[in-house]
Amino acid sequence: VGAGTANITATQGGDAIYNAATPVVRALTVNKADQTISFESLVAKGITDPPFSLSASASSGLTVSYVSSNTSVATVSGNTVTMVGQGTTTITASQSGNTNYNAATSVGQSLTVNDKQSQAITFGSLAAKNLR
C-alpha cells in the first residue's frame, strides 16, 4: 500500500501431533516507485498573446510544478504562463515525489516569444482588363 518496511510474521499453532512452530519474522521492503513527466512542446507566442495554461502530467498523478529560466521573457504562476518580453526561455516541469514516489526527471520545453505577431495578406488574383 506504500513505500517502507513491514515485518511479516509466519506462525503455525500446531495440532494434536505437532507442537506450535516458532514464529518466523521477515522484513519486507517496498521501494518508492519511479515516475515520469509528459510535457508537450510549446508553440511560439507573441508578446501581446494572452496568458496560457501548461498541462504537463506526472505518471504518478501528483501535481507538476513549473519554472521559467528567463523571467524577462515569460513568467509562470501555478500553471499559467505570461509573456513579458521578446526572446527565448525554457519552461521546466518538475515533480519532487512524495513518500511513495521518487522525484521525476524534470522536462524542459523551449518557448519563443516574438516581439511582433506574424500576419499574412490574402489578395486574390486580378482579372485582365482591356485598355480603353
Side-chain angles (χ1 to χ4, degrees), residues 38-65:
S38 297
F39 189 18
E40 297 293 323
S41 297
L42 302 173
V43 297
K45 298 288 184 177
I47 190 82
T48 59
D49 283 351
F52 68 96
S53 296
L54 299 166
S55 60
S57 62
S59 60
S60 63
L62 296 172
T63 301
V64 174
S65 60

Side-chain angles (χ1 to χ4, degrees), residues 87-103:
T88 302
T89 185
T90 298
I91 305 296
T92 301
S94 60
Q95 208 311 306
S96 60
N98 65 9
T99 57
N100 292 322
Y101 288 93
N102 291 313

